[in-house]
């Protein structure tokens, strides 16, 4: 069984202390209550029940029972009534009714209408259930859904008992499990459902009659899921707040590297703008165009700078090499290179608007429309002593190349946004059809023509003939040569690192895994799913866009025998990633959403390998798995899943979701509680929080890092991987 289209969170915490040889870690593997010891797991049972669940050898696996809350609705009757009134209509002069298909809306299960229909069928029994519902009937149904535990268990029994004969057999249980999996967006095979149904029958049908009756099902919902400690909140001791940093100090420590880089960049832009603004305020042309000219020329100077700078953050080999210099990486946030690239792009947009806009809307109309005498005194030499029309100005090399650059940028910039790259549903269908990662990639290569036009544009300035003022090439020559050299180097290097032994695997959720032999001399950081010490390379790629879907499809066709061979694979890299900084911290917290967990597998492998070499007595990694698409414990839609999860884990020590000994929680993590516990367990230490996932949760986690660094004497430092 696996999850489809849901958010899965993996969090891992390790406590480490760096040495000259390798980092070492100290922590406990949890959930402790779920860790199988020699194949057995104890699940707490309440007094009054003495059933035994045994494995094939007869060994006890479960020793007690405790009630699980079974809920079919969280709404009060007034809320249900209000929903009824919104949809009710009068039919043939009778009392108001709603359509049977609106029952799911009235009980707030409109996201799972099939499950709501099963509830309605069970409530109405053998009678025709696809008929209109009156308010009195709905009130009676609500009382049965929200009433006593016995009433709710009885309702669930009727949902399982599809022929209403008072008995539930293995086929009924299998269909119930499949329906619950579907309501929770889980993919489950019929074989898996059959296995889980058989486990329930084995546990409850002690007399081997082949069916269950209501008292036995009552036993089923007395099984309790042990909760991991991360799900509970507890008070924070007073000594945790000993000498915390001030809020300003926390902000300074968190953002000072970003802040000084951005402020320095803005300062340089401001200086260049002011310099050219003042310079052209004293030129003869100022008499014709005024401050429009000064503004356009000031913006042009910032454009030269930014067109040079924008190539540096994406010169990945250079950035990787500089990141290794500790003294330099301590003052420059190399992990924010893509963000800085985007910031400079915004600066270019502003510069283009100011430069091109003032020229087109102000300068050129004033040149073509000014007094001829004034034109001859100020601008005539630059135009062959003939005053041009507006259209003639647009036809000059300077303006034509400028307009061409703007058009190319207007194509490339929108296609580089996250909405276009990921084909967001917010885009019009016609735009979404042509957008995607491939479109972004190829449109971004229009910059080759942009830079060629920029060189031409900078050489034909009609307001000056001084070659020392034609400085565009001085700004961009070195960055262009550096970037071009990197691209050539990457092509040559990827040819050297050709992959020979390639093993692909397909996983649920359209995830492609590629495992390959590591080329000789290839050393990588922590952006892959293999560790630096492994003798192989592995990557996991989820099909989310046009490029990844195509890649997944190519390997899928080959594995199904529809293609003639795997495509040739080359390696480009390695490049650095923010996660390689994990060795700087005493403790690391790794948080990945869905496929965002894969960048951290490499770190976990590295920590485990180092711990094994150091022969630690205690475990060093603590892991938690959260599945947020499944309705929380006690919800009628997931209740049977919670039960089979507990039974299957008790018998095999394997979780039905993760397919590993790591227990899956049906909830979202309480992040405040997570940070609070880490601060209590590691007072005075530095904790690196590495995150790969959506921007929304990233902001929440970054805020918590700041909050707990301020409120406690534990310092949390946030790092975000690119998702």
């Amino acid at each position: 069984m696996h999850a489809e289209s849901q958010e899965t969170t993996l969090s891992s915490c390790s406590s480490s202390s760096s040495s000259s040889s390798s980092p070492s870690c100290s922590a406990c593997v949890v959930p402790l209550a779920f860790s199988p010891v020699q194949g057995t797991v104890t699940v707490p049972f309440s007094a009054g029940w003495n059933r035994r669940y045994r494995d094939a050898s007869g060994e006890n696996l479960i020793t007690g029972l405790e009630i699980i809350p079974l809920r079919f609705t969280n709404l009060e009757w007034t809320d249900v009534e209000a929903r009824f009134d919104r949809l009710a209509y009068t039919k043939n002069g009778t009392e108001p009714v709603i359509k049977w298909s609106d029952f799911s809306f009235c009980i707030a299960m409109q996201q799972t209408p099939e499950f709501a229909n099963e509830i309605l069928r069970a409530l109405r029994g053998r009678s025709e259930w696809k008929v209109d519902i009156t308010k009195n009937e709905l009130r009676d149904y609500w009382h049965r859904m929200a009433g006593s535990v016995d009433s709710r268990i009885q309702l669930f029994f009727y949902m399982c008992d599809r022929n209403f004969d008072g008995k539930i057999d293995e086929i009924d249980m299998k269909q119930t499990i499949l329906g619950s999996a579907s309501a929770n967006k889980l993919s489950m095979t019929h074989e898996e459902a059959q296995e889980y149904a058989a486990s329930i029958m084995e546990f409850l049908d002690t007399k081997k009659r082949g069916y269950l009756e209501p008292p036995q099902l009552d036993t089923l919902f007395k099984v309790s899921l042990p909760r991991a400690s991360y799900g509970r909140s507890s008070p924070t001791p007073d000594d945790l707040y000993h000498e915390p940093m001030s809020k300003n100090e926390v902000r300074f420590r968190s953002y000072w590297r970003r802040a000084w880089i951005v402020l320095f960049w803005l300062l340089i832009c401001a200086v260049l703008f002011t310099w050219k603004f003042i310079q052209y305020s004293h030129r003869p042309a100022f008499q014709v165009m005024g401050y429009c000219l000064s503004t356009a020329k000031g913006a042009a100077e910032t454009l030269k700078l930014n067109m040079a700078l924008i190539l540096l953050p994406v010169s990945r080999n250079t950035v990787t090499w500089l990141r290794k210099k500790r003294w330099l990486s301590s003052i420059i946030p190399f992990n924010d290179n893509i963000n800085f690239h985007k910031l400079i792009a915004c600066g270019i947009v502003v510069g283009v608007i100011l430069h091109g806009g003032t020229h087109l809307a102000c300068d050129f109309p004033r040149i073509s429309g000014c007094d001829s005498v004034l034109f001859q005194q100020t601008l005539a030499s630059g135009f062959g002593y003939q005053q041009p029309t507006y259209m003639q100005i647009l036809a000059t090399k300077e303006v034509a190349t400028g307009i061409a650059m703007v058009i190319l940028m207007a194509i490339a910039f929108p296609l580089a946004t996250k909405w276009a790259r990921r084909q967001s549903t917010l885009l019009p269908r016609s735009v979404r059809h042509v957008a995607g990662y491939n479109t972004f990639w190829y449109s971004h290569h229009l910059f080759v023509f942009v830079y060629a036009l920029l060189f031409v544009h900078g050489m034909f300035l009609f307001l000056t003939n001084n070659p020392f003022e034609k400085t565009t090439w001085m700004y961009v020559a070195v960055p262009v040569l550096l970037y071009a050299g990197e691209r050539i180097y990457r092509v040559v290097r990827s040819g050297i690192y050709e992959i020979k032994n390639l093993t692909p695997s397909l996983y649920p959720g359209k995830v492609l895994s590629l495992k390959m032999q590591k080329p000789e001399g290839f050393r990588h950081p922590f952006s892959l799913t293999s560790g630096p010490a492994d003798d192989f390379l592995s990557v996991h790629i989820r099909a989310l866009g046009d490029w990844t879907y195509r890649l997944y499809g190519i390997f899928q066709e080959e594995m199904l025998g529809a293609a003639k061979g795997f495509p040739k694979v080359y390696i480009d890299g390695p490049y650095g990633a923010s996660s390689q900084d994990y060795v700087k911290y005493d403790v690391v917290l790794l948080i990945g959403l869905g496929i965002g967990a894969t960048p951290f597998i490499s770190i976990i492998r590295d920590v485990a390998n180092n711990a094994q070499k150091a022969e630690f007595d205690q475990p060093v990694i603590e892991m938690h798995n959260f599945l947020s698409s499944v309705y929380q414990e006690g919800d009628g839609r997931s209740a049977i899943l919670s039960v089979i999860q507990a039974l299957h884990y008790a018998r095999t020590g394997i979780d039905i979701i993760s397919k590993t000994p790591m227990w899956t929680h049906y909830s979202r993590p309480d992040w405040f509680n997570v940070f609070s516990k880490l601060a209590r367990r590691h007072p005075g230490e530095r904790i690196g929080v590495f995150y790969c996932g959506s921007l929304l949760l990233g902001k929440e986690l970054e805020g918590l890092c700041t909050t707990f660094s301020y409120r406690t004497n534990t310092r949390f430092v946030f790092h975000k991987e690119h998702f």
Side-chain angles (χ1 to χ4, degrees), residues 475-517:
Y475 280 92
V476 300
V478 172
V480 166
L481 290 174
L482 175 66
Y483 186 80
E486 280 215 0
R487 295 298 295 266
I488 295 172
Y489 173 67
R490 287 167 57 184
V491 172
V492 174
R493 182 177 58 183
S494 63
I496 297 174
Y497 288 148
E498 181 181 352
I499 297 301
K500 296 181 180 179
N501 298 323
L502 179 66
T503 305
S505 301
L506 301 178
Y507 292 98
K510 291 193 177 296
V511 174
L512 169 67
S513 171
L514 299 178
K515 185 176 180 180
M516 60 206 80
Q517 179 182 348

Side-chain angles (χ1 to χ4, degrees), residues 277-341:
F277 187 93
I278 295 174
Q279 185 183 77
Y280 274 84
S281 297
H282 296 87
R283 295 287 177 89
F286 184 80
Q287 300 177 47
V288 177
M289 291 172 276
Y291 288 109
C292 291
L293 174 64
S294 301
T295 301
K297 289 300 182 179
E301 206 66 20
T302 65
L303 278 172
K304 297 175 189 178
L305 172 70
N306 288 329
M307 289 297 290
L309 290 179
I310 198 168
L311 294 175
L312 299 181
V314 290
S315 298
R316 295 190 288 176
N317 288 291
T318 302
V319 171
T320 299
W321 178 70
L322 293 174
R323 182 188 274 114
K324 296 177 182 178
K325 313 297 181 183
R326 283 189 174 271
W327 67 271
L328 197 57
S329 62
S330 65
I331 60 175
I332 298 177
F334 289 110
N335 295 332
D336 286 318
N337 61 320
I338 298 301
N339 291 330
F340 190 53
H341 176 77

Side-chain angles (χ1 to χ4, degrees), residues 168-236:
I168 299 176
D169 58 20
E170 192 169 308
I171 296 177
D172 290 333
M173 189 60 67
K174 174 184 174 181
Q175 293 301 318
T176 301
I177 293 172
L178 288 171
S180 181
S182 176
N184 287 275
K185 301 179 183 178
L186 297 176
S187 178
M188 181 185 295
T189 66
H190 284 267
E191 291 76 15
E192 288 174 328
Q194 185 73 44
E195 177 188 355
Y196 302 146
S199 296
I200 292 176
M201 297 298 293
E202 179 186 356
F203 177 59
L204 296 179
D205 185 20
T206 56
K207 296 182 180 180
K208 307 300 181 183
R209 296 182 299 177
Y211 61 86
L212 305 178
E213 293 180 328
Q216 294 166 295
L217 192 68
D218 184 73
T219 300
L220 185 64
F221 287 101
K222 299 295 194 301
V223 176
S224 170
L225 295 182
R227 295 177 177 84
S229 60
Y230 265 44
R232 298 174 181 173
S233 181
S234 56
T236 304

Side-chain angles (χ1 to χ4, degrees), residues 504-507 509-514 541-567:
S505 301
L506 301 178
Y507 292 98
K510 291 193 177 296
V511 174
L512 169 67
S513 171
L514 299 178
I541 305 165
R542 185 180 179 189
L544 291 174
D546 53 348
W547 186 87
T548 49
Y549 265 107
R550 179 58 182 152
L551 181 67
Y552 182 89
I554 289 173
F555 281 94
Q556 184 183 45
E557 289 175 5
E558 168 57 27
M559 296 180 71
L560 294 176
K564 296 183 179 180
F566 295 128

Side-chain angles (χ1 to χ4, degrees), residues 557-579:
E557 289 175 5
E558 168 57 27
M559 296 180 71
L560 294 176
K564 296 183 179 180
F566 295 128
K568 188 173 291 186
V569 176
Y570 297 92
I571 296 179
D572 178 25
Y575 300 109
S578 62
S579 55

